[in-house]
Every structure is written in structure tokens, then in C-alpha cells.
């Protein structure tokens, strides 16, 4: 009987210790800071590239709305497809919108997004790697962006958009990012190189830790879509950042792509913008990229948007950028 009591008391003590550890776990700070920390702000131009794109006139209208929030960076997630097919009209469309971004005196960020056709017919790693490096050079030589995200999230290519038929490891993504950063700096040393991870994704933190050793890498990004992502960033990723690199929120929205056509989330989306920007501020991030600014004007149409409309998300982003 005494032995059972001793065992039960031991288990109780262990439980109390574990509870205390949980309570003492550092929670992410998501309140507005008393002092503003200077940051770059940007937004991704929705449907600017890939297999779901809107025409050049609509892109320019979307660009005007984004610019009115006060951002200084415009991001395009660029797809290989037009160049693989030598689709001159689509290539010209890319040229035209990037020229407009430059004419508007905004900085250009490109982010690799593979090829739409790879999702329909998955390719082996060797072929993917060859095409990735080939198009990194093509895009760098053609556009010389201010920023280039050479790997947007390993899990994005393998799970969210299954492009690769063979298994990959964090080490393979590290080697790819290493070579891509070398190409970027070879073409234009002033371009800042970045990688990004989805904090809650499987083995993403391993790639993040390896990428910290890439000498030509300037920005280590996190793509956060809920408070759990912020918690994981606080617990597992910020401490891995070396002194010679910046950490950025390279993608952020409330719940990711599921936000499309969900106007009942508009107030929550606006609140998420404030929360995630305050988090970035409090952790002295170098920049923040809002990922679904199509919703600055509309939740109900993916084409023929009334660009004169404004949603709470637009005003929330304008509020945090205009400092």
C-alpha cells in the first residue's frame, strides 16, 4: 500500500512540474509596442503569375490599391510555366507589371513558386532542381529584383502543392538554396536573398537551421497564418537566427488560402493583420509581407473586382504601415 502511495505522489509531483513548465513557456507578444520598430512593408500581387492569373489591367488596378496602403515592396510569386512554354504573351504580361512596379518607385520581390504543370504531373527531384536553378538565373538576369526568395517553403512544394515525385530532405533543400543564392549574387550582388519556412510544417525547422549557414543568404523568413505559427516561431526558430541575417514575416494572412470568398472573416482578417504586425514589431523583424491583398477590395470576386471598394483589411494594413 505504501509503495502505491509513493508512486502516486511521484506521479503527482511530475505532473505539477510539467504544468509549471507549460505555464512558463514563453508566449508570443502580440500587443502593440510602445515604440515603433522600423520595418519594410510589402504585399504579394495576387494572381500575378502561374496558372490562375488576372489580366494586366486588373493587375495594375490591384497594384494601385496595394500601393495606397503605404507599402514599399511588391512581391510576385513567379512561375516557370511561361518560360518553359515560351509563351510570349504571358512573358510580356510579367514584363509589363514589373515595369509598372518599377515606374511606381517600389521595390520588387520575386519568390520561386515552381511550375504549375509540375502539380499536374509530378517530377523527380533532379529535374525539379535543374529547372529551379535554370529559372533562378533567367528571372535574375531579366528582372534583377531587389529581393529574391529562392525557396518559399519546402513543404509548399511537397505537400501543399505536390510537385516532386521523389522524397526530399532538409539537406537537399539546403543545397538547392545554397546554389540558388550563389546564382542570385553572381547576377546582382545587391539583390537580397531569402528563404522561408512554414513554422508548423514537418521538418521545416531543420531546413531553417541549415539555411542559417548559407553565407549569401540575407533573409530568413517565416510564413505565419495562425497563432500557433507565431508560437512555434517564438519557441523554435527565432533563436536559430545568426547575427548576420534578418528575420522577416515573408507571408501572412488569417488562415491562408481558405480565406478566399469568405467575407464573414473580414473583421478577423483585419485583426490578424494588426496582431501579426505587432508580433513582428516586438521581435524586431526586418519586414512584413501581406499575402492576400486581393481581399483589400473584395471577397466575392476573383475576376472583375470593383477596385474602388475597401475592406477592413485594407484599413488595418494602412494603419500599421503608415507610421
Amino acid at each position: 500500500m505504501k509503495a502505491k502511495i509513493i508512486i502516486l505522489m511521484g506521479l503527482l509531483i511530475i505532473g505539477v512540474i510539467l504544468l509549471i513548465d507549460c505555464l512558463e513557456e514563453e508566449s508570443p507578444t502580440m500587443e502593440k509596442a510602445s515604440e515603433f520598430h522600423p520595418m519594410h512593408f510589402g504585399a504579394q500581387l495576387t494572381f500575378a503569375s502561374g496558372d490562375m492569373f488576372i489580366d494586366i489591367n486588373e493587375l495594375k488596378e490591384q497594384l494601385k490599391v496595394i500601393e495606397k496602403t503605404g507599402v514599399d515592396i511588391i512581391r510576385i510569386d513567379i512561375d516557370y510555366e511561361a518560360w518553359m512554354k515560351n509563351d510570349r504573351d504571358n512573358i510580356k504580361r510579367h514584363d509589363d507589371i514589373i515595369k509598372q512596379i518599377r515606374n511606381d518607385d517600389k521595390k520588387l520581390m520575386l519568390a520561386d513558386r515552381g511550375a504549375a504543370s509540375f502539380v499536374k504531373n509530378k517530377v523527380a527531384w533532379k529535374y525539379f532542381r535543374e529547372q529551379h536553378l535554370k529559372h533562378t538565373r533567367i528571372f535574375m538576369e531579366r528582372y534583377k529584383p531587389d529581393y529574391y526568395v529562392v525557396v518559399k517553403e519546402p513543404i509548399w512544394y511537397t505537400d501543399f502543392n505536390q510537385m516532386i515525385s521523389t522524397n526530399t530532405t532538409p539537406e537537399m533543400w539546403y543545397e538547392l538554396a545554397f546554389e540558388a543564392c550563389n546564382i542570385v549574387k553572381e547576377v546582382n550582388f545587391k539583390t537580397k536573398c531569402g528563404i522561408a519556412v512554414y513554422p508548423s510544417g514537418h521538418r521545416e525547422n531543420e531546413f531553417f537551421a541549415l539555411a542559417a549557414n548559407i553565407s549569401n543568404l540575407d533573409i530568413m523568413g517565416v510564413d505565419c497564418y495562425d497563432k500557433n505559427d507565431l508560437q512555434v516561431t517564438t519557441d523554435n526558430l527565432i533563436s536559430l537566427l545568426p547575427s548576420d541575417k534578418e528575420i522577416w514575416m515573408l507571408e501572412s494572412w488569417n488562415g491562408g488560402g481558405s480565406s478566399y470568398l469568405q467575407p464573414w472573416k473580414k473583421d478577423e482578417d483585419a485583426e490578424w493583420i494588426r496582431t501579426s504586425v505587432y508580433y513582428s514589431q516586438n521581435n524586431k523583424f526586418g519586414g512584413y509581407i501581406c499575402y492576400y491583398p486581393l481581399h483589400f477590395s473584395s471577397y466575392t470576386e476573383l475576376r472583375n473586382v470593383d477596385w474602388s471598394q475597401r475592406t477592413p483589411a485594407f484599413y488595418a494594413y494602412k494603419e500599421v504601415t503608415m507610421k
Side-chain angles (χ1 to χ4, degrees):
M1 184 68 180
K2 288 183 178 179
K4 288 183 178 179
I5 292 173
I6 291 171
I7 291 171
L8 288 171
M9 288 180 67
L11 291 172
L12 179 61
I13 291 169
I14 291 171
V16 171
I17 291 171
L18 290 173
L19 178 60
I20 292 171
D21 286 344
C22 289
L23 292 174
E24 290 180 347
E25 182 182 68
E26 184 181 2
S27 297
T29 305
M30 294 176 283
E31 300 299 323
K32 186 176 182 179
S34 58
E35 185 176 345
F36 179 79
H37 169 70
M39 281 173 52
H40 292 286
F41 286 98
Q44 184 235 23
L45 196 59
T46 315
F47 300 141
S49 189
D51 58 343
M52 290 182 66
F53 54 80
I54 56 181
D55 67 36
I56 187 64
N57 293 326
E58 295 238 40
L59 278 179
K60 288 183 178 181
E61 290 298 324
Q62 183 185 174
L63 180 61
K64 289 178 185 177
V65 175
I66 291 172
E67 290 173 346
K68 287 178 180 177
T69 63
V71 302
D72 59 346
I73 298 170
I74 305 298
R75 168 171 163 164
I76 292 176
D77 288 20
I78 193 162
D79 192 292
Y80 316 158
E81 208 67 39
W83 283 264
M84 293 177 70
K85 294 179 178 178
N86 194 28
D87 182 343
R88 295 183 180 181
D89 289 341
N90 201 351
I91 291 172
K92 183 178 183 301
R93 178 177 166 278
H94 285 78
D95 291 346
D96 289 349
I97 194 61
I98 289 173
K99 182 180 178 181
Q100 187 65 54
I101 292 168
R102 296 295 196 193
N103 288 343
D104 294 346
D105 200 27
K106 301 299 179 184
K107 293 180 180 178
L108 173 67
M109 175 181 286
L110 296 182
D112 183 274
R113 59 164 285 155
S117 59
F118 295 172
V119 179
K120 298 173 184 175
N121 296 289
K122 292 193 285 290
V123 297
W125 172 257
K126 181 180 179 182
Y127 182 74
F128 174 84
R129 179 181 171 280
E130 289 172 353
Q131 291 301 314
H132 181 290
L133 296 176
K134 174 183 176 180
H135 287 88
T136 298
R137 186 174 294 279
I138 288 172
F139 299 147
M140 277 301 304
E141 290 178 346
R142 192 175 191 91
Y143 299 121
K144 293 183 176 58
D146 301 282
Y147 304 89
Y148 199 118
V149 182
V150 296
V151 173
K152 67 179 255 100
E153 295 164 12
I155 198 171
W156 187 85
Y157 302 89
T158 58
D159 291 22
F160 301 153
N161 290 274
Q162 298 179 6
M163 298 184 180
I164 304 166
S165 61
T166 46
N167 291 330
T168 64
T169 64
E171 290 77 14
M172 292 162 70
W173 287 101
Y174 160 77
E175 292 169 1
L176 176 65
F178 180 88
E179 291 188 53
C181 285
N182 287 346
I183 291 171
V184 170
K185 295 296 187 179
E186 178 188 330
V187 177
N188 184 19
F189 191 75
K190 293 182 179 180
T191 297
K192 288 193 172 185
C193 294
I195 59 92
V197 297
Y198 173 55
S200 302
H202 178 61
R203 302 193 74 181
E204 295 278 279
N205 62 322
E206 295 177 50
F207 168 63
F208 194 85
L210 290 169
N213 298 307
I214 300 176
S215 59
N216 277 330
L217 184 67
D218 304 292
I219 295 169
M220 297 178 68
V222 290
D223 298 347
C224 295
Y225 289 91
D226 57 32
K227 290 184 179 179
N228 182 67
D229 292 339
L230 300 182
Q231 184 70 61
V232 174
T233 299
T234 297
D235 295 344
N236 300 335
L237 299 180
I238 289 177
S239 63
L240 299 174
L241 186 75
S243 60
D244 65 333
K245 303 188 193 317
E246 297 180 2
I247 188 167
W248 283 43
M249 187 78 72
L250 279 176
E251 293 183 20
S252 193
W253 192 261
N254 176 32
S258 62
S259 287
Y260 281 123
L261 307 182
Q262 294 183 3
W264 56 88
K265 286 173 73 272
K266 61 184 180 180
D267 292 327
E268 292 178 17
D269 291 347
E271 187 57 33
W272 172 255
I273 287 174
R274 296 186 186 95
T275 294
S276 53
V277 169
Y278 295 159
Y279 173 85
S280 302
Q281 284 275 314
N282 288 320
N283 286 283
K284 294 182 169 51
F285 281 27
Y288 180 100
I289 304 296
C290 186
Y291 205 63
Y292 291 107
L294 182 73
H295 291 327
F296 287 170
S297 294
S298 173
Y299 283 81
T300 56
E301 294 287 344
L302 299 183
R303 303 291 187 274
N304 300 315
V305 173
D306 181 354
W307 298 106
S308 67
Q309 297 297 309
R310 300 289 181 267
T311 66
F314 170 87
Y315 292 110
Y317 203 42
K318 185 174 182 179
E319 171 192 318
V320 296
T321 62
M322 294 294 202
K323 298 297 183 182

